[in-house]
Amino acid sequence: MLVLKTLHIWMVISWFAGLFYLPRIYVNLAMVPADSAAERERLLLMAGKLYKFMTPLGILAVITGLWLWFGYGFHGGWLHAKTTLVAGLAAYHWHCGRLLGEFRSGRNRRSHVWFRFYNELPVVVLLIVLFLVVLKPF
Ligand code: HEM
């Protein structure tokens, strides 16, 4: 079980590297001047590669978590609250993919300020999930 939990935490940390950095690239993309096509293409390339990299990591973080849950008899309200928040993270991940599509087709209308606030959401969710899984308050 400890090997599986180690792999779970590894996948979670790697997934979060993407959840933290991809919206940061969007902050920069939203600030690129219209006449800087080379910079825009460079940032789009980075965002596309990162999204491809972080998607299997997110899936493996969830698979190892569910394996821990159902394979080792964990239970409690904390796990339901945690899984609900993780579903929110999965929706955020999916929405990041939608935003990438909008940037690629030049349809983004959101400002860099909007993306700065958007970028903080996974930070807050991570803190709440950590309190739930380490303290198991209910
Ligand atoms: C559906 C998705 C997930 C499920 C079902 C799940 C379930 C679990 C379970 C049952 C444990 C073992 C708890 C223990 O040993 O006390 C665990 C450990 C852990 N999970 Fe998840 N997890 C999921 C996703 C995540 C995500 C997205 C994060 C981070 C935001 C996360 C962070 C952690 C951490 C840090 C631990 C180690 C806790 C400790 O050793 O005390 N998990 N998870």
Side-chain angles (χ1 to χ4, degrees):
M1 193 275 279
L2 290 181
V3 171
L4 179 60
K5 189 157 80 169
T6 305
L7 292 175
H8 177 59
I9 298 170
W10 181 43
M11 291 300 158
V12 164
I13 292 170
S14 306
W15 184 30
F16 267 86
L19 289 173
F20 287 162
Y21 192 48
L22 186 57
R24 178 53 54 182
I25 296 177
Y26 294 163
V27 169
N28 290 289
L29 267 169
M31 292 194 303
V32 172
D35 59 358
S36 302
E39 187 185 357
R40 182 173 174 279
E41 288 315 309
R42 185 179 60 81
L43 289 169
L44 280 174
L45 186 68
M46 282 169 63
K49 287 186 175 179
L50 183 56
Y51 190 71
K52 262 202 208 121
F53 172 76
M54 64 195 262
T55 300
L57 295 172
I59 294 168
L60 288 169
V62 170
I63 288 174
T64 50
L66 294 171
W67 188 350
L68 280 165
W69 179 359
F70 297 109
Y72 294 89
F74 283 97
H75 58 277
W78 66 272
L79 198 44
H80 300 133
K82 179 185 174 185
T83 308
T84 305
L85 287 169
V86 174
L89 286 172
Y92 182 90
H93 181 120
W94 170 81
H95 188 241
C96 281
R98 290 282 304 249
L99 292 170
L100 181 57
E102 289 177 15
F103 275 115
R104 281 180 171 149
S105 59
R107 285 180 294 113
N108 173 59
R109 296 289 171 266
R110 296 182 177 91
S111 72
H112 68 89
V113 175
W114 186 92
F115 283 109
R116 288 176 195 280
F117 284 100
Y118 185 76
N119 197 182
E120 300 311 324
L121 289 176
V123 180
V124 176
V125 173
L126 177 60
L127 181 61
I128 301 170
V129 167
L130 289 177
F131 272 114
L132 286 169
V133 71
V134 174
L135 276 71
K136 300 179 176 59
F138 48 83

